[in-house]
Amino acid sequence: GDVKGPLKIMRQLTPEQLQDPSVAAYFGILLAAAGQNDNATEYFALAEKAKLLPEEEELVAQAKASLARQ
């Protein structure tokens, strides 16, 4: 349930690191959980290029669905 801690850690990454599609997927999930919908959508767009495991794809899908409900 703690979103602030992980977001703080992720924000310490460089902009180039956050542009990596697989990193962007996780950052998008955290942003969505924090209610930062516009930013989350931006990172989910980058995540489209990631080669994710099925479990990771499900996490992204759930986070996107939560955005759609808001």
Side-chain angles (χ1 to χ4, degrees):
D2 176 26
V3 176
K4 291 180 182 181
L7 272 177
K8 182 178 178 181
I9 292 169
M10 292 290 286
R11 286 195 169 115
Q12 293 176 9
L13 297 175
T14 66
E16 293 80 21
Q17 290 171 314
L18 290 174
Q19 297 294 311
D20 178 276
S22 58
V23 174
Y26 280 95
F27 195 42
I29 290 168
L30 290 171
L31 290 168
Q36 298 179 26
N37 300 352
D38 291 337
N39 291 335
T41 302
E42 173 187 340
Y43 284 96
F44 286 143
L46 292 169
E48 294 290 325
K49 300 174 187 168
K51 299 212 183 291
L52 301 174
L53 297 172
E55 297 86 356
E56 293 170 317
E57 290 176 356
E58 181 61 28
L59 288 172
V60 170
Q62 289 174 5
K64 285 181 175 180
S66 75
L67 292 179
R69 288 190 297 267
Q70 294 178 359

